Structures are given as C-alpha cells and as structure tokens.
Amino acid sequence: MTDSPGWATPGSEPSDGDRSGAPADRPGPAAQPPAPPVQPAQPPAQPAAGPKWSAEQPPPGQWSSPAPGQQAPPQQPPQGAGWGADRPQPGGPYGGQYGPPQQGGPYGYPGGPGPWGKPPAAKPGVIPLRPLGLGEILDGAVATMRTHWRSVLPITLVVATVVQVISLFATKFMMDDLIITADADMTPADAINALGTTLSVTVVTQFLQYLGTIVVTAMLTMIFSRAILGQNSSISDAWRDSRAQLLRLIGLTALLGGGLIVLAIVLMLPAILSESIGLIFLGLLLWVVLAAWLGTLFSLASPALMLEKSGVFKAFSRSAKLVKGSWWRIFGITVLTAIMAAIISAIIYYPLSLIGLFGFGGGLDALQDGTATTAWGTLIFSAIGLIIAQTIVTPFQSGVTVLLYVDQRIRREALDLELARAAGVENYGTTGG
C-alpha cells in the first residue's frame, strides 16, 4: 500500500489470530529486560548492548545502585500508604495498581493503562486503527460527514438534484396524459397502457438514480479513505482519484443487479408456467433468501474495486474472501444501516410530499380524479424531499460500507499497520501498538 488512498492489492489472507504484516519481533511488556540486581559492594556494571533505556529513569534513592563501598539504603514505604504503613502508595513507577506508568519509561507505554496493558490504538482520522465495533463504524460514518461536509454534501446534493430534476420532468411529461383512477369501467387496454407508461417512467427514473448512485459512491469512497488517514479531500481530488474506476464500478453494479434479476426469473418462471400460487410464494421466498446471501457476500466489492484498483471479478472475489466467516455480522450491520436510512428518509420525504399534495397538488380531489401524481406541487415537493433525504442518507450508507471493508481488512490482513504508515504515525506496531 502506498501513502495514497488507492490501496494496492493485498497479499495472502492470514487468519484473524495471525495477522501478517505485523513485525515478528514486536516487543511487548513481557519482553522488557529485568532491572539489574543491586550489588552493594561493587560498582555498577556497564550496560550490555541491547535495547536503549529511556532517559527518564526513576529518581535517585529508589532504584539506582549505591556508590562503591556504600551499602544500599533500606527501602522506606511512602507516607499515606493504603493497608497500613507498609503498603506502597499508588503512583509508583510500574503503573497498574501502583499508578500510571512513567512517560517513556521502560516498563510502561506512554499513555497506556499500565505496563501489562495495551496502549490506546492510534487514531489519525475518523476511526481508531484496530478492529471496530458497531458504534465505531456508525460514528465514523457520521464523523466523516460532519468533519468533511464541504466535500461530502456538495457531491451528494448536486448529483441528487440533477437526478431528481430530470426524473421530475420525465414523470410530468410521460404521465401527463395518463389518468390513473379507481374507476371500475377501465378497459383492459387502458390498464395495459397505464402499466406500460408507469413501467417506462420507473425504468427511466431508476436508471438515472443508478448512474447518480454510482458516481456518488465512487467519489465518497475516496473521501472516506482519506478521512481514515486524517487527510482532507476536495471534490476535485475525489473525482480525480475515482474517475478511472467509474466504468468498472458501473459494470460491477450492473452485473450484480442483472444477476439478481436473472435469478428471480429462473426461480419464478416454473411457478408462473404452472400457475401455482404456492410455488410462486415459495420461489419468491427462495429468491429473497438467495438475494440477501449474495448481496451480503458481495457487499464489499465496491470499496475493494475502488481502493485496490482491481477488476470487476477480482473485486467480487475479494469481497467474498473478506466476508467469509463474518457474514452474519456484516448482514446485521447492513440491515441496521438500511433501516436507519429508511427511517431518516421517511421523516424527511413524507411530510414534504403531503405539503405538496394538500397545499399545491389538489388534495383529496386530485387523488380521486388521478391528477395528483402529475401535479406540479406534488412533484416539486416530493423531489425536494428526495433531494434532502438522499443528501443525508447516501453518504451515511456509503461510509458504513467503506468502514466495514476497512474493518475486515484490519481483522484479517493487519491493514492497520499500512494505514498507520500511510498516515505518518511513527513507530506504530513496534512498541506494543
């Protein structure tokens, strides 16, 4: 991996317990040499070649060797000791139950909880460089949106606005002559015409949404990758870093979506031909299960494609490799994120849609005569609601996906060492970190 956010293709995948890339000779607390024994009648021996001791040694009279010909003074307990006069008071040089370790001392880590504890993980950016919990993943996505909003929000706002404006005019002019009512006198030809027009509008709007989502996902992935390193990223930087992979990301998304459609056809076609309602529900249920499994298995393909600069099929393979053994965890976090995004979108979208319908779209009368779906007031306020919702929800979901990818690589491939090096964290991974 280089210092840029476009991470190189990793090597082999070790197990969670055997993290390749970590230094084999990383010293831990148990590897520190013991203090030299006190020799009362001899001058202190010269230290042998080995690890360098810190310059901040304990004050004289506690752990230093006596001068030649001088007996070692007896150790006196400090004043105010706990269990009586013979118990050392907390605050000794060894940390742990005797107080915090001395800064830079040989038996403790700077800022660590004690000599035998692990120091806090480095955090150059929005997440600590260690395996992440659910709260840290969600908080990292929100922190990136809050800290780097000058890059995140304009991207999603502009793309969402363009998509919704085009969708608004497409809906208005393609469905303007279509009257959808609950009239029982509607002929089969009218029903087929209404269904065809509705499907055409749906295809156009979903295609625009599909292209916009790909562009946003590609650029936001690069912004999140830099935010992990504590680096800022402008809109131009995000576009420059992501544009080379845009066509591949389009192909990856189309291949995944097309595969799910083909799977649905294969599962539902026999049931439709046999005209069996039971088989239709069984096929639908089986499709939902397989779609959830495949969607989770390949959920990390997009960040793998963008950050490793790989091909489409290599990205699918990398995602399956990273998800293996953690499917339920990634599935649960993805579902929770989708539920949160749906709630946020509903809170924003539906009030504005109701304002457009009852304030400017004709209200209940428009619903009855079928003109509500093409009224300017309804369309405009619905578009505004979607723009605001997508501006907030899209970067949140993209951020969770990127952080899940990073978390899995930290757990399996010791990516934290590479991230620390790229972020300029000195001595990370060589002092027990």
Side-chain angles (χ1 to χ4, degrees):
M1 169 178 155
T2 62
D3 291 344
S4 67
W7 300 327
T9 303
S12 60
E13 174 191 6
S15 62
D16 291 349
D18 181 17
R19 293 168 49 168
S20 64
D25 56 348
R26 177 187 296 182
Q32 298 292 343
V38 178
Q39 299 180 0
Q42 297 180 4
Q46 296 295 328
K52 295 182 179 180
W53 298 92
S54 171
E56 298 181 18
Q57 296 296 325
Q62 294 183 7
W63 312 108
S64 58
S65 300
Q70 180 182 359
Q71 297 294 327
Q75 296 294 331
Q76 298 294 333
Q79 299 295 326
W83 311 104
D86 57 345
R87 174 169 180 168
Q89 184 180 4
Y94 283 82
Q97 60 178 328
Y98 297 109
Q102 292 183 353
Q103 180 72 17
Y107 296 100
Y109 298 104
W116 315 119
K118 190 176 182 181
K123 188 178 179 181
V126 295
I127 59 170
L129 301 184
R130 56 171 170 75
L132 304 175
L134 170 62
E136 291 170 325
I137 291 176
L138 300 179
D139 180 71
V142 175
T144 303
M145 295 171 58
R146 183 177 63 249
T147 306
H148 303 274
W149 64 270
R150 290 181 178 85
S151 300
V152 173
L153 295 186
I155 292 174
T156 54
L157 178 62
V158 170
V159 174
T161 301
V162 171
V163 169
Q164 294 305 320
V165 168
I166 297 177
S167 299
L168 184 151
F169 284 102
T171 303
K172 175 64 178 178
F173 293 110
M174 292 179 68
M175 299 186 66
D176 194 35
D177 296 332
L178 180 65
I179 304 299
I180 302 177
T181 65
D183 191 355
D185 296 333
M186 178 180 289
T187 64
D190 293 336
I192 294 175
N193 183 32
L195 179 61
T197 303
T198 304
L199 288 177
S200 300
V201 173
T202 302
V203 169
V204 171
T205 55
Q206 290 301 314
F207 179 74
L208 293 173
Q209 187 68 42
Y210 161 78
L211 292 180
T213 301
I214 289 177
V215 174
V216 170
T217 299
M219 297 180 69
L220 291 181
T221 298
M222 312 315 294
I223 293 177
F224 274 92
S225 67
R226 290 181 179 272
I228 293 171
L229 304 178
Q231 301 173 358
N232 294 322
S233 181
S234 64
I235 298 176
S236 59
D237 292 336
W239 172 250
R240 183 179 64 251
D241 293 336
S242 62
R243 63 185 178 184
Q245 293 291 97
L246 272 179
L247 291 179
R248 290 179 177 176
L249 185 59
I250 292 174
L252 184 146
T253 308
L255 188 60
L256 182 58
L260 293 178
I261 293 175
V262 171
L263 179 63
I265 294 174
V266 171
L267 293 176
M268 299 295 294
L269 186 60
I272 295 175
L273 294 178
S274 64
E275 299 181 355
S276 174
I277 301 298
L279 287 180
I280 290 177
F281 280 106
L282 181 60
L284 181 61
L285 178 61
L286 184 59
W287 179 82
V288 170
V289 173
L290 291 176
W293 178 68
L294 291 174
T296 303
L297 187 66
F298 299 132
S299 61
L300 306 183
S302 174
L305 178 85
M306 298 302 301
L307 297 178
E308 297 178 19
K309 308 298 183 184
S310 64
V312 173
F313 294 102
K314 179 63 176 178
F316 280 126
S317 174
R318 286 287 295 143
S319 178
K321 186 178 181 181
L322 292 173
V323 172
K324 183 180 180 181
S326 302
W327 189 94
W328 283 107
R329 177 175 180 270
I330 295 175
F331 173 76
I333 294 176
T334 303
V335 170
L336 178 62
T337 304
I339 293 174
M340 296 173 63
I343 293 174
I344 295 172
S345 298
I347 292 174
I348 297 172
Y349 172 76
Y350 286 110
L352 288 174
S353 297
L354 293 177
I355 292 174
L357 174 62
F358 290 99
F360 305 93
L364 295 177
D365 293 336
L367 287 176
Q368 292 177 356
D369 60 24
T371 60
T373 56
T374 57
W376 281 111
T378 305
L379 292 175
I380 291 175
F381 275 85
S382 297
I384 292 175
L386 288 174
I387 291 172
I388 298 174
Q390 291 175 1
T391 301
I392 298 174
V393 165
T394 303
F396 175 68
Q397 291 183 293
S398 298
V400 169
T401 302
V402 173
L403 294 181
L404 275 174
Y405 163 83
V406 173
D407 174 60
Q408 287 302 110
R409 287 196 60 185
I410 288 177
R411 292 173 183 269
R412 296 179 178 272
E413 301 170 355
L415 183 65
D416 54 325
L417 300 177
E418 301 296 329
L419 293 174
R421 185 181 67 181
V425 179
E426 297 181 358
N427 301 322
Y428 183 84
T430 61
T431 57

